[in-house]
């Protein structure tokens, strides 16, 4: 029976102190999840109901918030169950689905940030051509590609990996990330090369494109008037802050997958939780505070709610 159980389920061995602090973890995680939902739904709601925010930049921000909600919903419900359970397990099929959702959504964020960088470049450097270049069709195509390309490329590798034979059934993480592939009996060189191709194609290239685009924007605006410089700073800096934070967390995920045995379990668990918390919560906060078009409407929404309650 145990052998049959092990062939079906994978043990998540990255949890620390669940026996003692399980209920405390549950309360903290639930509060974080509700906060993530509230902040991101607020951003989406404000952008949807205000017509002056129906612009490409704000549509891409709303798409990032949708990704944050989907990413968190893929992770948090399973965390709720695990911290209250005596045995932290997940079926192999559910593990592969969680892997697919997390990484396809995460990579989609890089592509959305690339689309936002292109939008800012056209808006600031080619303002007269902006309405023509960034029309409704262009925005729709960029959104579709940002979601479809990662899903299609990761879908292929997920299906292939799901058919690999497992010789180990315990992973050192608290969710199904790249570490799950270390459980395979044979490490496929072809899959490793394909994984490297995905990383270069969908992460490294978009990051280089974003940095190149913003460098070009700042070089052009350096010789422009104060108003143009102010516009560039207000709209570009929040995107760069999000990119830097998300890139650091992505690098950490890759490092922990490669150097799992060299990093203490408690450190791995805390840093992994930062991936679940920081980006989904950081995005709506930074855009809600730094983007004047959004922050103005959020303040108005809260004033309306407070006045109504009084």
């Amino acid at each position: 029976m145990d052998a049959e159980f092990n062939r079906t389920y994978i043990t998540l061995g990255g949890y620390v102190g669940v026996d003692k602090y399980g209920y405390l973890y549950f309360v903290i995680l639930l509060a974080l999840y509700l906060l993530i939902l509230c902040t991101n739904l607020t951003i989406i709601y404000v952008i949807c109901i205000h017509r002056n925010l129906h612009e490409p930049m704000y549509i891409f921000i709303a798409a990032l918030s949708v990704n944050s909600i989907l990413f968190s919903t893929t992770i948090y419900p399973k965390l709720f169950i695990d911290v209250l359970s005596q045995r932290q397990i997940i079926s192999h099929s559910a593990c592969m689905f969680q892997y697919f959702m997390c990484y396809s959504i995460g990579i989609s964020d890089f592509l959305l940030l690339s689309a936002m960088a292109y939008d800012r470049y056209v808006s600031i450097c080619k303002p007269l051509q902006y309405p023509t270049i960034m029309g409704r069709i262009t925005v729709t195509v960029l959104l579709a590609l940002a979601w479809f390309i990662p899903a299609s490329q990761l879908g292929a590798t997920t299906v292939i990996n799901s058919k690999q034979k497992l010789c180990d059934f315990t992973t050192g993480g608290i969710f199904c990330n790249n570490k799950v592939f270390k459980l395979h009996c044979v490490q496929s060189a072809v899959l490793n090369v394909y994984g490297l191709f995905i990383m270069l194609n969908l992460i490294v290239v978009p990051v280089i494109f974003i940095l190149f685009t913003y460098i070009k924007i700042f070089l052009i605006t350096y010789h422009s008037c104060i108003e143009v410089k102010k516009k560039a700073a207000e709209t570009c800096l929040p995107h760069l802050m999000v990119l830097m934070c998300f890139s650091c967390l992505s690098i950490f995920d890759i490092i922990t997958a490669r150097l799992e045995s060299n990093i203490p379990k408690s450190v791995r668990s805390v840093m992994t939780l930062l991936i679940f918390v920081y980006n989904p919560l950081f995005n709506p906060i930074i855009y809600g505070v730094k983007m004047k078009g959004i922050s103005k409407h959020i303040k108005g929404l809260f004033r309306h709610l407070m006045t109504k309650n009084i």
Side-chain angles (χ1 to χ4, degrees):
M1 182 67 181
D2 288 339
E4 183 180 351
F5 179 86
N6 283 338
R7 282 195 294 268
T8 308
Y9 290 90
I10 293 172
T11 300
L12 301 171
Y15 287 89
V16 178
V18 172
D19 295 338
K20 292 182 179 180
Y21 308 109
Y23 289 104
L24 177 61
Y25 292 163
F26 177 82
V27 172
I28 294 173
L29 290 172
L30 180 60
L32 289 172
Y33 181 56
L34 293 176
L35 186 59
I36 289 170
L37 289 181
C38 290
T39 52
N40 284 284
L41 286 173
T42 300
I43 294 292
I44 295 171
Y45 174 76
V46 167
I47 292 173
C48 286
I49 65 170
H50 295 285
R51 294 186 62 85
N52 66 319
L53 297 182
H54 293 180
E55 299 178 3
M57 178 178 64
Y58 298 112
I59 292 173
F60 292 135
I61 291 174
L64 282 175
S65 288
V66 171
N67 276 6
S68 294
I69 293 173
L70 292 175
F71 179 83
S72 300
T73 303
T74 302
I75 295 293
Y76 278 86
K78 183 65 174 72
L79 292 178
F80 298 155
I81 296 172
D82 287 340
V83 297
L84 296 179
S85 302
Q86 293 182 347
R87 194 171 187 180
Q88 292 75 39
I89 58 173
I90 186 172
S91 68
H92 185 230
S93 58
C95 185
M96 295 311 300
F97 177 75
Q98 189 180 67
Y99 162 84
F100 167 75
M101 289 295 295
C102 289
Y103 283 96
S104 61
I105 292 170
I107 292 174
S108 174
D109 280 353
F110 281 106
L111 298 184
L112 287 173
L113 289 171
S114 299
M116 294 167 74
Y118 177 69
D119 171 75
R120 290 300 84 204
Y121 170 76
V122 177
S123 174
I124 295 170
C125 301
K126 300 181 179 180
L128 297 179
Q129 301 175 19
Y130 181 77
T132 303
I133 297 175
M134 294 303 296
R136 182 177 298 179
I137 295 177
T138 302
V139 174
T140 303
V141 170
L142 290 175
L143 285 174
L145 290 176
W147 281 316
F148 175 75
I149 292 177
S152 60
Q153 293 194 17
L154 278 163
T157 187
T158 302
V159 171
I160 295 172
N161 277 296
S162 65
K163 298 182 183 300
Q164 298 294 307
K165 184 179 179 181
L166 302 181
C167 284
D168 192 1
F169 303 92
T170 301
T171 178
I174 60 178
F175 81 112
C176 293
N177 60 358
N178 283 317
K179 296 174 188 173
V180 73
F181 298 141
K182 289 188 173 183
L183 306 181
H184 294 166
C185 297
V186 178
Q187 299 296 318
S188 173
V190 175
L191 287 175
N192 288 335
V193 171
Y194 184 63
L196 181 62
F197 166 76
I198 291 176
M199 185 179 71
L200 292 175
N201 183 37
L202 299 181
I203 298 179
V204 176
V205 171
V207 169
I208 293 174
F209 171 79
I210 293 168
L211 294 177
F212 173 79
T213 302
Y214 283 129
I215 289 172
K216 197 165 185 179
I217 289 173
F218 290 132
L219 288 176
I220 292 173
T221 56
Y222 179 78
H223 301 287
S224 302
C225 63
I226 297 177
E227 288 298 323
V228 175
K229 292 180 181 178
K230 186 177 179 181
K231 178 183 178 182
E234 288 179 354
T235 58
C236 294
L237 288 179
H239 304 330
L240 286 175
M241 292 171 65
V242 171
L243 174 67
M244 290 175 59
C245 294
F246 192 61
S247 297
C248 290
L249 293 175
S250 300
I251 291 171
F252 171 79
D253 180 69
I254 295 172
I255 291 174
T256 53
R258 298 294 180 183
L259 304 174
E260 180 180 351
S261 60
N262 298 329
I263 301 176
K265 182 187 288 188
S266 58
V267 175
R268 291 201 309 268
S269 299
V270 171
M271 292 302 295
T272 302
L273 284 173
L274 284 179
I275 297 175
F276 303 156
V277 175
Y278 198 72
N279 200 59
L281 203 54
F282 181 76
N283 283 355
I285 290 176
I286 194 66
Y287 288 127
V289 173
K290 293 294 184 180
M291 302 293 288
K292 287 187 176 181
I294 296 177
S295 63
K296 177 180 64 176
H297 290 298
I298 290 178
K299 291 176 183 177
L301 176 63
F302 280 114
R303 281 197 299 266
H304 174 72
L305 292 174
M306 290 179 65
T307 304
K308 189 175 180 180
N309 290 332
I310 293 174

